[in-house]
Amino acid sequence: MDSDDERGRAASLAGAEGAEVIAAGATGAGDEVKRSRTRTAVGVGRKGLTSLAERLLEAAPRIPVRDLQTLRRHFPGLGPEEIADKLTSGAVKGTATVGAGIGAAAMLPTPPAMPAELAAETFAVAVVEYKLIAELHEVYGLRAPGSVRQRATFYLAEWTERRGIDVTKPSTVNIALGVKMKRELRQQLLKRTLRNLPTLTPFMVGAAIGAVLNRRDTSKLAERVRKDLREHQVTWDELAKLDALEKLDELPPAPDEPPAIES
């Protein structure tokens, strides 16, 4: 459960940043529309933030993530950096499409429930970027330790901090899986939702803004995570040797030799 202080801080942040967005666009015929939609959208941060974070935590372990073998089959003949480029390009296109779609919805004469649309955009972008982070870990030979759920929480922590976390250090893994991470996830979701407010601009301008903002943010995230992962990268040859050793360890013990038969 959130404390009163946490709810107060989240609401204050939402109100302050929302007010700045309103003030910045205080001229033109669409000002009143933008102000109304902005005030309504800020309610997402106040009311739906905890629910959105819990929904993301619950969904993450079920998001399909391709392992290294599958990625190499899908991108035959390519090395780690080339596959990472392909993954980044696909994610950037995906989040840009999401942003453009929400911006296009905002131009309708009677737009849909925009707080729900903003929440849906934030969730969809988080899913695309989560999948990107998880598959980059596979490409760089740094799959997070633990169960599927533990790995999902770890990758969400990276999404929250917008950087790669060293999976080779148990202390960083423990921090990523801690209670603090859930609070920080809510804060990052709030920031992401507020950053998407310009997509509510009417006359199709919001569609262009949404695509550009999402493309930029996803590109920056990929660049930072890849930079951090390269510092601890495990090569594919090293992974193959580790897999071979693990298979040897899994072999059943050799049976005892039968006693010699005396003649």
Side-chain angles (χ1 to χ4, degrees), residues 69-79 82-83 86 236:
Q69 288 73 23
T70 303
L71 288 168
R72 294 184 72 176
R73 286 199 303 271
H74 288 177
F75 301 103
L78 301 185
E82 294 167 310
I83 294 179
K86 294 284 188 181
W236 292 352

Side-chain angles (χ1 to χ4, degrees), residues 116-130:
E117 292 293 318
L118 276 176
E121 177 184 4
T122 301
F123 184 84
V125 168
V127 167
V128 172
E129 292 181 345
Y130 164 88

Side-chain angles (χ1 to χ4, degrees), residues 26-105:
T27 59
D31 288 346
E32 186 57 40
V33 174
K34 286 194 288 184
R35 282 196 294 268
S36 176
R37 292 179 183 178
T38 300
R39 285 194 296 269
T40 304
V42 168
V44 175
R46 293 175 175 174
K47 297 178 181 178
L49 199 57
T50 298
S51 174
L52 189 60
E54 291 175 351
R55 181 182 165 200
L56 186 56
L57 282 165
E58 184 64 27
R62 299 195 297 271
I63 296 171
V65 174
R66 291 170 290 185
D67 61 17
L68 178 58
Q69 288 73 23
T70 303
L71 288 168
R72 294 184 72 176
R73 286 199 303 271
H74 288 177
F75 301 103
L78 301 185
E81 289 298 328
E82 294 167 310
I83 294 179
D85 286 341
K86 294 284 188 181
L87 296 177
T88 300
S89 176
V92 167
K93 290 178 182 176
T95 57
T97 300
V98 171
I102 300 300

Side-chain angles (χ1 to χ4, degrees), residues 133 137 142 144-145 153-177 181 184 224-225 228-229 232:
I133 288 172
H137 273 266
L142 293 168
T153 305
F154 183 88
Y155 297 142
L156 281 177
E158 290 196 335
W159 182 82
T160 298
E161 297 191 19
R162 317 302 285 175
R163 66 182 181 88
I165 301 174
D166 187 359
V167 299
T168 64
K169 292 184 178 179
S171 59
T172 62
V173 175
N174 292 336
I175 291 173
L177 300 178
M181 176 265 174
E184 292 177 345
R224 290 171 183 170
V225 171
D228 292 337
L229 293 180
H232 310 284

